[in-house]
Coordinates of all heavy atoms in Angstrom, one line a residue:
G14 N 4.8 -33.1 8.1 CA 5.6 -32.0 8.5 C 6.3 -32.3 9.8 O 6.0 -33.2 10.5
A15 N 7.3 -31.4 10.1 CA 8.1 -31.5 11.3 C 8.6 -30.1 11.7 O 8.8 -29.3 10.8 CB 9.2 -32.5 11.1
S16 N 8.7 -29.9 13.0 CA 9.2 -28.7 13.5 C 10.6 -28.9 14.1 O 10.7 -29.9 14.9 CB 8.3 -28.0 14.5 OG 7.1 -27.7 13.9
G17 N 11.5 -28.1 13.9 CA 12.8 -28.2 14.5 C 12.9 -27.4 15.7 O 12.1 -26.6 16.1
L18 N 14.0 -27.6 16.5 CA 14.2 -26.9 17.7 C 14.5 -25.4 17.5 O 14.3 -24.6 18.4 CB 15.4 -27.5 18.5 CG 15.1 -28.9 19.1 CD1 16.3 -29.5 19.7 CD2 13.9 -28.9 20.0
D19 N 14.8 -25.1 16.2 CA 15.1 -23.7 15.9 C 13.8 -22.9 15.6 O 13.9 -21.8 15.2 CB 16.1 -23.6 14.7 CG 15.6 -24.3 13.5 OD1 14.5 -24.9 13.5 OD2 16.3 -24.3 12.5
G20 N 12.7 -23.6 15.7 CA 11.4 -22.9 15.4 C 11.0 -23.0 13.9 O 9.9 -22.6 13.5
K21 N 11.9 -23.5 13.1 CA 11.6 -23.6 11.6 C 10.8 -25.0 11.4 O 11.0 -25.9 12.1 CB 12.8 -23.6 10.8 CG 13.5 -22.3 10.9 CD 14.8 -22.3 10.0 CE 15.5 -20.9 10.1 NZ 16.8 -21.0 9.4
S22 N 9.9 -24.9 10.4 CA 9.2 -26.2 10.2 C 9.3 -26.5 8.7 O 9.6 -25.7 7.8 CB 7.7 -26.0 10.6 OG 7.1 -25.0 9.8
L23 N 9.1 -27.8 8.4 CA 9.1 -28.3 7.1 C 7.8 -29.0 6.8 O 7.4 -29.8 7.6 CB 10.3 -29.3 6.9 CG 10.3 -30.1 5.6 CD1 10.6 -29.2 4.4 CD2 11.3 -31.2 5.7
S24 N 7.1 -28.7 5.7 CA 5.9 -29.4 5.4 C 6.0 -29.9 4.0 O 6.5 -29.2 3.1 CB 4.7 -28.4 5.4 OG 4.4 -28.0 6.7
L25 N 5.7 -31.1 3.8 CA 5.6 -31.7 2.4 C 4.2 -32.1 2.1 O 3.5 -32.7 2.9 CB 6.5 -33.0 2.4 CG 7.9 -32.9 2.7 CD1 8.6 -34.3 2.7 CD2 8.6 -32.0 1.6
R26 N 3.7 -31.6 1.0 CA 2.3 -31.9 0.6 C 2.4 -32.3 -0.8 O 3.2 -32.0 -1.6 CB 1.5 -30.6 0.7 CG 1.3 -30.1 2.1 CD 0.0 -29.5 2.3 NE -0.1 -28.9 3.6 CZ -0.4 -29.6 4.7 NH1 -0.5 -30.8 4.7 NH2 -0.5 -29.0 5.9
V27 N 1.4 -33.2 -1.2 CA 1.3 -33.7 -2.5 C 1.1 -32.5 -3.5 O 1.7 -32.4 -4.5 CB 0.1 -34.7 -2.7 CG1 -0.1 -35.1 -4.1 CG2 0.4 -35.9 -1.8
A28 N 0.2 -31.6 -3.1 CA -0.1 -30.4 -4.0 C -0.7 -29.3 -3.0 O -1.2 -29.7 -2.0 CB -1.0 -30.7 -5.1
I29 N -0.7 -28.1 -3.5 CA -1.3 -27.0 -2.7 C -2.3 -26.2 -3.6 O -2.6 -25.1 -3.3 CB -0.3 -26.1 -2.0 CG1 0.7 -25.6 -2.9 CG2 0.4 -26.9 -0.8 CD1 1.6 -24.5 -2.3
S30 N -2.7 -26.8 -4.7 CA -3.5 -26.0 -5.6 C -4.8 -25.5 -5.1 O -5.3 -24.5 -5.6 CB -3.7 -26.8 -6.9 OG -4.4 -28.0 -6.6
H31 N -5.4 -26.1 -4.1 CA -6.6 -25.7 -3.6 C -6.6 -25.2 -2.1 O -7.6 -25.1 -1.4 CB -7.7 -26.8 -3.7 CG -7.8 -27.4 -5.0 ND1 -8.4 -26.7 -6.1 CD2 -7.3 -28.5 -5.6 CE1 -8.3 -27.4 -7.2 NE2 -7.7 -28.5 -6.9
A32 N -5.4 -24.9 -1.7 CA -5.2 -24.6 -0.2 C -5.9 -23.3 0.2 O -6.3 -23.2 1.3 CB -3.7 -24.5 0.1
G33 N -6.0 -22.4 -0.7 CA -6.6 -21.1 -0.4 C -8.0 -21.2 0.1 O -8.4 -20.7 1.1
N34 N -8.9 -21.9 -0.7 CA -10.3 -22.1 -0.3 C -10.7 -23.5 -0.1 O -11.8 -23.9 -0.3 CB -11.2 -21.4 -1.4 CG -11.1 -22.2 -2.7 OD1 -10.3 -23.1 -2.9 ND2 -11.9 -21.8 -3.6
R35 N -9.7 -24.3 0.4 CA -9.9 -25.7 0.6 C -10.2 -26.3 -0.7 O -9.3 -26.2 -1.6 CB -10.9 -26.0 1.7 CG -10.5 -25.8 3.1 CD -9.3 -26.5 3.5 NE -9.5 -27.9 4.0 CZ -8.6 -28.7 4.3 NH1 -7.3 -28.3 4.1 NH2 -8.8 -29.9 4.8
Y36 N -11.3 -26.9 -0.9 CA -11.5 -27.6 -2.2 C -12.5 -27.0 -3.1 O -12.5 -27.2 -4.3 CB -12.0 -29.0 -1.8 CG -11.1 -29.7 -0.8 CD1 -11.5 -29.8 0.5 CD2 -9.8 -30.0 -1.1 CE1 -10.6 -30.3 1.5 CE2 -8.9 -30.6 -0.2 CZ -9.3 -30.7 1.1 OH -8.5 -31.2 2.0
G37 N -13.4 -26.1 -2.5 CA -14.3 -25.2 -3.3 C -14.9 -25.8 -4.5 O -15.5 -26.9 -4.5
E38 N -14.8 -25.1 -5.6 CA -15.4 -25.5 -6.9 C -15.0 -26.8 -7.4 O -15.9 -27.6 -7.9 CB -15.2 -24.4 -7.9 CG -16.1 -24.5 -9.1 CD -17.6 -24.4 -8.7 OE1 -18.0 -23.7 -7.8 OE2 -18.4 -25.2 -9.4
P39 N -13.7 -27.2 -7.4 CA -13.4 -28.6 -7.9 C -14.2 -29.7 -7.2 O -14.6 -30.6 -7.8 CB -11.9 -28.7 -7.6 CG -11.4 -27.3 -7.6 CD -12.5 -26.5 -7.0
L40 N -14.4 -29.6 -5.9 CA -15.2 -30.6 -5.2 C -16.6 -30.6 -5.6 O -17.3 -31.6 -5.8 CB -15.0 -30.5 -3.6 CG -15.7 -31.5 -2.8 CD1 -15.1 -32.9 -3.1 CD2 -15.6 -31.2 -1.3
R41 N -17.2 -29.4 -5.7 CA -18.6 -29.2 -6.1 C -18.8 -29.8 -7.5 O -19.9 -30.4 -7.7 CB -18.9 -27.7 -6.2 CG -20.4 -27.4 -6.5 CD -20.7 -25.9 -6.4 NE -20.9 -25.6 -4.9 CZ -20.1 -25.0 -4.1 NH1 -18.9 -24.5 -4.6 NH2 -20.4 -24.8 -2.9
E42 N -17.9 -29.7 -8.4 CA -18.0 -30.3 -9.7 C -18.1 -31.8 -9.6 O -18.7 -32.5 -10.5 CB -16.8 -29.9 -10.6 CG -16.9 -28.4 -11.0 CD -15.6 -28.0 -11.8 OE1 -14.8 -28.9 -12.1 OE2 -15.5 -26.8 -12.0
I43 N -17.5 -32.4 -8.6 CA -17.4 -33.9 -8.5 C -18.7 -34.4 -7.7 O -19.3 -35.3 -8.2 CB -16.2 -34.3 -7.8 CG1 -14.9 -33.9 -8.6 CG2 -16.2 -35.9 -7.6 CD1 -13.6 -34.1 -7.9
V44 N -19.0 -33.8 -6.6 CA -20.0 -34.3 -5.7 C -21.3 -33.5 -5.8 O -22.3 -34.0 -5.2 CB -19.5 -34.4 -4.2 CG1 -18.3 -35.2 -4.2 CG2 -19.3 -33.0 -3.6
G45 N -21.4 -32.4 -6.4 CA -22.6 -31.6 -6.5 C -22.8 -30.8 -5.3 O -22.1 -30.8 -4.3
E46 N -23.9 -29.9 -5.4 CA -24.2 -29.0 -4.3 C -24.5 -29.7 -3.0 O -24.1 -29.3 -1.9 CB -25.3 -28.0 -4.7 CG -25.5 -26.9 -3.8 CD -24.3 -25.9 -3.7 OE1 -23.6 -25.7 -4.8 OE2 -23.9 -25.5 -2.6
D47 N -25.4 -30.7 -3.1 CA -25.8 -31.5 -1.9 C -24.6 -32.2 -1.3 O -24.4 -32.2 0.0 CB -26.9 -32.5 -2.2 CG -27.3 -33.2 -1.0 OD1 -27.8 -32.6 0.0 OD2 -27.2 -34.5 -0.9
G48 N -23.7 -32.7 -2.1 CA -22.5 -33.4 -1.6 C -21.6 -32.4 -0.9 O -21.0 -32.8 0.1
V49 N -21.5 -31.2 -1.4 CA -20.6 -30.2 -0.7 C -21.2 -29.8 0.7 O -20.5 -29.7 1.7 CB -20.5 -28.9 -1.5 CG1 -19.8 -27.8 -0.8 CG2 -19.6 -29.2 -2.8
K50 N -22.6 -29.7 0.7 CA -23.2 -29.4 2.0 C -23.0 -30.5 3.0 O -22.6 -30.3 4.2 CB -24.7 -29.2 1.8 CG -25.1 -27.9 1.2 CD -26.6 -27.8 1.0 CE -26.9 -26.5 0.2 NZ -28.3 -26.4 -0.1
R51 N -23.1 -31.8 2.5 CA -22.8 -32.9 3.4 C -21.4 -33.0 3.8 O -21.0 -33.4 4.9 CB -23.3 -34.2 2.7 CG -24.8 -34.2 2.7 CD -25.4 -35.4 1.9 NE -24.9 -36.7 2.5 CZ -25.1 -37.9 2.0 NH1 -25.7 -38.0 0.8 NH2 -24.7 -39.0 2.6
F52 N -20.5 -32.6 2.9 CA -19.0 -32.6 3.2 C -18.7 -31.6 4.3 O -17.9 -31.9 5.2 CB -18.2 -32.4 1.9 CG -16.7 -32.3 2.2 CD1 -16.0 -33.5 2.3 CD2 -16.1 -31.1 2.4 CE1 -14.6 -33.4 2.6 CE2 -14.7 -31.0 2.7 CZ -14.0 -32.2 2.8

């Protein structure tokens, strides 16, 4: 991302599908409950 002098900013992300709750359930499905706690 970058911010301009006009106060506007631009952000480029690969995806934002999990931005609301970070990684939540999709991460739990991969690493398990203990893995989420450790994460």
Side-chain angles (χ1 to χ4, degrees):
S16 297
L18 293 176
D19 60 358
K21 295 179 180 176
S22 63
L23 169 69
S24 292
L25 297 175
R26 298 213 183 280
V27 175
I29 55 171
S30 59
H31 305 288
N34 66 352
R35 284 306 268 175
Y36 311 106
E38 195 56 37
L40 185 62
R41 183 173 281 104
E42 290 173 8
I43 299 167
V44 302
E46 192 63 40
D47 183 58
V49 169
K50 286 178 185 173
R51 289 177 59 193
F52 178 81

